[in-house]
Amino acid sequence: MKHIIAPSVLAADFANLQRDVEMVNFSLADWFHVDVMDGVFVPNISFGFPVMEAIKKYATKPLDVHLMIVNPDQYIERFAEAGAAVITVHYEACTHLHRTIQAIHAAGCKAGVALNPHTPVALLKDILADLDMVLIMSVNPGFGGQKFIPNTLNKLRELKAMALQLNPELIIEVDGGVGPHNLEALIEAGATAFVAGNAIFGAENPTEVIADMKNIKTGLLKI
Ligand code: DX5
Ligand code: ZN
């Protein structure tokens, strides 16, 4: 399977959002990664529905919505209506995770669960078969431009092994400090979807960085 590249709009220029959305439209990227932060689950506030709807208005690719919020259940339908294709909630924010996943599917979206760096992959064993995606955070969520946490590679390997047993179609996404420099190692550890904010929008030529990330060749996968 060819891997998925999901530029994180958090690192875009919000004063030129349409321009940056169109850059992604015309690039080799697959998804838009949309980071929603509430200032409670994470120590930062990003944006909500009006900005997401503005992105949706111009985006020609699916919106991959990463909810870094408490009580995500109360907003699932709103995010689906606002144009989410994938809705990812945090394991740490959901008391009744199975119910939340059912609600995401009932709203017509693909369902993902995100794990903070300290949350073990093994906790997903009894929900893995119900998921479309797992997002492994490779930084503490809340901010773009942070340094990649190396233990993420061990978590990806463990998740890949679990997925082979329980859900071979599972998309394994990695988010935080990702870019051309570590993509190959992440692919070899089992990741199949890659979020990148600063590595793309901070580059002189974002389209070229996206193309490099999309076309990377690895020894293992022979893509
Ligand atoms: C962090 C967000 C990320 C962030 C990634 O909490 O979930 O999606 O935008 O940004 P970079 O790629 O700059 O680390
Ligand atoms: Zn994210």
Side-chain angles (χ1 to χ4, degrees):
M1 185 179 80
K2 191 80 181 157
H3 56 273
I4 291 166
I5 304 297
S8 172
V9 181
L10 188 66
D13 178 354
F14 289 174
N16 288 289
L17 198 50
Q18 182 181 352
R19 181 200 68 191
D20 284 1
V21 167
E22 280 168 357
M23 181 280 290
V24 175
N25 285 343
F26 292 109
S27 76
L28 292 180
D30 301 275
W31 293 348
F32 287 85
H33 186 78
V34 178
D35 287 307
V36 179
M37 304 176 184
D38 66 355
V40 180
F41 181 71
V42 287
N44 196 11
I45 298 174
S46 58
F47 50 75
F49 299 111
V51 172
M52 185 174 149
E53 282 157 3
I55 296 166
K56 176 69 186 167
K57 192 168 159 194
Y58 295 105
T60 57
K61 296 174 180 181
L63 302 193
D64 168 37
V65 180
H66 177 191
L67 297 182
M68 286 161 274
I69 64 175
V70 296
N71 290 327
D73 302 71
Q74 60 183 320
Y75 295 114
I76 282 164
E77 275 178 34
R78 286 282 313 271
F79 280 108
E81 281 164 20
V86 186
I87 297 179
T88 296
V89 294
H90 265 264
Y91 178 89
E92 303 83 5
C94 297
T95 309
H96 301 286
L97 185 58
H98 187 271
R99 183 181 291 150
T100 307
I101 297 306
Q102 283 181 319
I104 295 173
H105 283 147
C109 299
K110 284 191 192 300
V113 171
L115 297 184
N116 278 340
H118 73 280
T119 305
V121 160
L123 290 172
L124 294 178
K125 179 172 158 283
D126 291 307
I127 192 81
L128 206 67
D130 299 300
L131 303 180
D132 301 291
M133 183 167 93
V134 171
L135 188 171
I136 300 289
M137 284 307 305
S138 39
V139 297
N140 285 296
F143 304 93
Q146 301 182 80
K147 202 166 166 282
F148 178 85
I149 299 172
N151 185 51
T152 307
L153 292 167
N154 298 325
K155 294 179 76 173
L156 288 170
R157 287 187 201 105
E158 193 182 339
L159 178 60
K160 178 73 189 172
M162 264 170 76
L164 283 174
Q165 297 290 317
L166 299 169
N167 184 351
E169 300 295 304
L170 185 78
I171 299 169
I172 299 179
E173 186 173 57
V174 60
D175 181 6
V178 172
H181 66 289
N182 54 12
L183 197 75
E184 189 170 346
L186 293 167
I187 291 175
E188 290 185 356
T192 54
F194 302 86
V195 177
N198 277 53
I200 291 174
F201 290 100
E204 212 164 290
N205 189 338
T207 315
E208 207 171 275
V209 175
I210 293 170
D212 285 351
M213 290 180 73
K214 188 68 187 174
N215 291 325
I216 199 158
K217 305 235 183 324
T218 71
L220 275 187
L221 291 185
K222 297 196 177 57
I223 46 180

